[in-house]
Amino acid sequence: GPFVSHPNFLFLLRLHSALPMPLLVVAAQAEADDFASDARALLAFRDAVGRRLAWNASDAVDVCSWTGVSCENGRVAVLRLPGATLSGVVPAGTLGNLTALHTLSLRLNGLSGALPADLASAAALRNVFLNGNRLSGRFPQAILALPGLVRLSLGENDLSGPIPAELGNLTHLRVLLLENNRFSGEISDVKLPPLQQFNVSFNQLNGSIPASLRSQPRSAFLGTGLCGGPLGPCPGEVSPSPAPAGQTPSPTAVPTGS
């Protein structure tokens, strides 16, 4: 339909009132197209994994009032559907098309399989909460392509393979929760920015906790084969504890001066 019917047209008029009229029309049309694209992406998401969502497809102009959806500046910015009986594999052409989305919370659902590669296109994402689903396969590559990511929760899924060193490229990351998965291998090469919250407990990890993570609490590493830091020294590491009773440390040789 004509862009004048766009629900945020008056808002867009105000937003672009400083522009000459032909540019104003073009800008308003472009934003109306973006908004329509958001609506199509959400409906495709619903059709794939959220059949029980009471979103009215015939009322696409009112997307911002749909359950779990919040808009900012005429675009879908937040999608929060915790415990909403979502199930199945999230396909391409859904979440990845929400290019203004900054917060995605789909925790405690039945989402399975791998995340779509095109989630990397949702480059505005800052907060991703997908804990408590049935996601499987390796660490989602698309997540590593979200440069502004601040909070990531993938705990309580069925993810496996290594925890990728490329997480270190996410320089804004402050919360990384990966507990209760099947991640394996070492984490010594993962150089992370300063984190406020971190958890890799109950994974099949081994080796030494890197120095940058040794200030994290013991609970962050329980149920793994990791050692060092809060879990106590690794085999062969110098222990700060005193020698056990009955063992005297070997005396240091004193030069005789001869």
Side-chain angles (χ1 to χ4, degrees):
F3 66 85
V4 180
S5 66
H6 179 250
N8 297 298
F9 183 65
L10 289 177
F11 164 80
L12 297 172
L13 269 177
R14 288 198 303 277
L15 190 67
H16 298 291
S17 55
L19 296 175
M21 196 60 193
L23 285 180
L24 167 69
V25 171
V26 169
Q29 179 66 62
E31 293 196 27
D33 289 347
D34 283 342
F35 188 76
S37 168
D38 286 350
R40 283 194 301 273
L42 286 173
L43 288 172
F45 174 81
R46 184 202 64 178
D47 291 347
V49 299
R51 300 250 170 203
R52 295 189 191 178
L53 291 174
W55 290 350
N56 184 356
S58 64
D59 192 18
V61 291
D62 207 21
V63 169
C64 303
S65 68
W66 288 356
T67 303
V69 177
S70 302
C71 296
E72 293 169 14
N73 301 331
R75 296 291 310 278
V76 172
V78 176
L79 181 60
R80 273 201 185 94
L81 293 167
T85 64
L86 307 178
S87 64
V89 178
V90 177
T94 59
L95 301 177
N97 286 6
L98 298 173
T99 53
L101 192 71
H102 63 70
T103 298
L104 175 66
S105 177
L106 305 176
R107 60 195 172 81
L108 306 177
N109 281 290
L111 300 175
S112 57
L115 292 175
D118 74 342
L119 185 63
S121 304
L125 274 170
R126 301 286 178 270
N127 309 297
V128 175
F129 305 105
L130 297 172
N131 47 304
N133 279 281
R134 295 201 290 271
L135 300 173
S136 60
R138 301 220 149 195
F139 189 99
Q141 283 297 304
I143 296 285
L144 300 174
L146 300 173
L149 198 63
V150 178
R151 296 176 190 86
L152 175 63
S153 179
L154 292 174
E156 297 166 68
N157 279 285
D158 196 28
L159 298 166
S160 57
I163 292 175
E166 296 92 325
L167 278 167
N169 298 334
L170 302 179
T171 53
H172 299 282
L173 196 64
R174 293 297 174 266
V175 173
L176 177 62
L177 304 176
L178 304 176
E179 72 280 1
N180 293 85
N181 278 283
R182 292 191 298 122
F183 290 119
S184 58
E186 302 201 1
I187 56 173
S188 51
D189 293 335
V190 183
K191 307 276 190 291
L192 293 165
L195 294 173
Q196 294 162 1
Q197 275 184 285
F198 175 79
N199 198 335
V200 290
S201 62
F202 301 98
N203 280 286
Q204 297 160 17
L205 301 169
N206 55 54
S208 176
I209 297 171
S212 60
L213 293 173
R214 290 194 172 193
S215 60
Q216 297 290 337
R218 179 179 163 81
S219 56
F221 307 103
L222 292 178
T224 68
L226 292 166
C227 60
L231 296 183
C234 295
E237 268 187 359
V238 176
S239 169
S241 59
Q247 291 182 8
T248 53
S250 52
T252 311
V254 180
T256 58
S258 57

